[in-house]
Amino acid sequence: MVFQKSLTRELTLSALGVFIVLLAIIVSTQAVNLLGRAAEGQMANEAVAAVLGFTTLGFFPVLMILTVFATILVVLTRIWRDHEMVVWLSSGLSLNNWVWPVMRFTLPLAMLIAGVTLFIGPWADQRSQDYAEQIKRREEVSAISPGVFKESASSNKVYFIENYSGEHGAATNIFMQEITDGKVATIFAKSGFITTKPDGERVVVLEHGQRYVGEPGSANYEVAEFQRYTAGIGESQQIPGPSGNRQAIPTAQLLSQDSSDYRAELAWRLSMPISCVILALLAIPMSYFNPRSGQTYNLLLSLLVFFVYQNGLTVARNWVAQGKAGVWLVLLVHLAMLALALALLSYRNRPARPIGQALSLLFRKS
């Protein structure tokens, strides 16, 4: 039909504009956050661009859901405001005839959201952690630069190495000073090398040297010679696995485990495409606009419903993860919003009565 083709075209063009605007907001906000973390030393400067891309990909499902909901609202509200809806309704159409054109626009995007949420999102989250950790390790190794005094991240150690081979991790003529419990330990070693312990901590192994320990300003100090001495050069750098972050767990692993955390995460991922379809259906009756009033309160009310829906899903997911409720709670939130959408659609689809019939029904009831 003509109105289906025109509606699909307008929805597609409007969705493209809405998505670009929302994407720009997300990217700029996350960029400021990541640059601030990099300035504070919590993240390597080289990792900002890659982590920004992975983080934006993680926000893609929610971004697309909001894009679909806002696009349908804006387009149908414009149709009501420009009296086009009156023409279509007077031609024998009802709001039920708008459901399939809207769903034809929504269902492909809902499938895209499902693919990103179930498969691409966990991969991107884990890759973001791995990449940031690799860059951090690289920076910590580069902290031991030949011919330069370097301070550790904890600010209690100072290193100096005359020569260093990055390929084999071997170093010669090493100086290290460490402050522990008010005492200063100064170490001189002829050679050493960098290695990694089983727990992921990077350490420098010093060979053939002396160690001096004492309190500053006091002549009381200890001198010891050693053949091998091990000193840490950073915190434990073991890459956190998926078990420490539910968002990075593959969907196949969620299906194979039976724990409250895994059930909550799986329910959340399945909720993304479902909520997209329900919100698209809900946007049809909520886009009603009375041209005589000249107010767009329906948009504000729709955004309120969107945030209530998303927050309800978040609370339900947290309760499932904490073992306070089962997955049925997430399903109950979806059913409640679906019932609201069907009720509003039925209410807006009711036939309008002339003023005389409305008054006669009112007096009969009284």
Side-chain angles (χ1 to χ4, degrees), residues 263-276:
R263 288 195 299 267
E265 182 62 25
L266 182 60
W268 173 260
R269 295 181 187 181
L270 294 176
S271 295
M272 293 293 100
I274 295 175
S275 62
C276 179

Side-chain angles (χ1 to χ4, degrees), residues 239-258:
I239 297 177
S243 59
N245 185 4
R246 292 183 305 185
Q247 288 77 17
I249 302 176
T251 303
Q253 186 176 349
L254 293 179
L255 293 172
S256 62
Q257 300 291 333
D258 187 17

Side-chain angles (χ1 to χ4, degrees), residues 8 53 62 68 103 139 150 234 246 249 262-263 307 327 334:
T8 302
V62 178
V68 171
M103 288 296 107
E139 282 199 343
K150 283 290 185 176
R246 292 183 305 185
I249 302 176
Y262 283 24
R263 288 195 299 267
F307 287 116
V327 183
H334 289 302

Side-chain angles (χ1 to χ4, degrees), residues 6-7 10-12 14-15 70-80 287:
S6 62
L7 178 63
E10 187 172 359
L11 286 174
T12 303
S14 299
T71 299
I72 298 174
L73 277 174
V74 171
V75 171
L76 293 186
T77 299
R78 185 206 61 79
I79 293 176
W80 278 102
S287 63

